[in-house]
């Protein structure tokens, strides 16, 4: 992502990736079910554009500079979000354990006292 953001991606690598995608499109629709799935999943294009979009043509028209421009905008540093996570929640585990122990220390004697027969309590 840093290389895309700084436009330091090898142009030849972009060309190879684009050629690989074109080859995938060329080999992708091998059965009637694949063709039907492709057209059904692209019905929104028909509704929006009045026809299906020729993805191969659009991909062939992309230049490496255009790809880098879009990538630099999409992955700009001001648009990134970083997530931070702790490995273990030790303090929460200890606090929870102490709380459970304290509740047990209070509840068990109270429960034992309440379960004694009434005659014993009077004496």
């Amino acid at each position: 992502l840093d290389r895309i953001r700084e436009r330091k991606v090898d142009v030849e690598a972009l060309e190879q990736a684009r050629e690989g995608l074109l080859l995938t499109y060329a080999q992708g629709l091998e059965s009637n079910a694949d063709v039907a799935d492709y057209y059904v999943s692209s019905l929104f294009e028909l509704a929006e554009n009045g026809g299906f979009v020729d993805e191969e043509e659009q991909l062939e028209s992309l230049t490496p500079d255009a790809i880098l421009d879009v990538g630099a905008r999409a992955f700009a540093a001001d648009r990134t979000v970083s997530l931070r996570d702790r490995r273990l929640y030790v303090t929460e585990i200890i606090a929870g354990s102490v709380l459970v122990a304290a509740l047990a220390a209070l509840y068990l004697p109270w429960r034992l006292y309440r379960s004694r027969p009434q005659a014993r309590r009077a004496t």
Side-chain angles (χ1 to χ4, degrees):
L1 291 177
D2 288 336
R3 287 188 294 153
I4 291 173
R5 191 178 301 129
E6 296 166 5
R7 299 179 53 88
K8 294 182 179 179
V9 177
D10 183 26
V11 174
E12 187 174 314
L14 282 177
E15 286 286 340
Q16 287 177 351
R18 187 179 69 150
E19 294 299 321
L21 282 173
L22 285 170
L23 185 60
T24 301
Y25 281 125
Q27 296 174 344
L29 304 174
E30 296 180 358
S31 69
N32 287 342
D34 291 335
V35 172
D37 184 49
Y38 171 77
Y39 283 112
V40 167
S41 65
S42 300
L43 282 176
F44 72 95
E45 294 174 359
L46 186 61
E48 289 178 9
N49 304 323
F52 293 107
V53 175
D54 187 357
E55 295 173 5
E56 292 89 356
E57 182 181 310
Q58 286 187 344
L59 193 56
E60 284 177 344
S61 69
L62 287 177
T63 64
D65 287 329
I67 294 171
L68 285 175
D69 288 342
V70 169
R73 277 195 310 265
F75 299 116
D78 60 342
R79 296 185 57 166
T80 58
V81 175
S82 63
L83 301 175
R84 298 175 191 260
D85 193 15
R86 291 188 290 181
R87 294 172 77 191
L88 287 175
Y89 297 102
V90 175
T91 55
E92 288 84 355
I93 291 171
I94 292 172
S97 300
V98 168
L99 180 64
V100 167
L103 288 174
L106 294 174
Y107 178 74
L108 289 176
W110 177 75
R111 188 71 181 148
L112 289 173
Y113 175 76
R114 298 267 302 160
S115 65
R116 289 190 334 187
Q118 283 289 19
R120 284 182 169 170
R121 282 192 216 161
T123 58

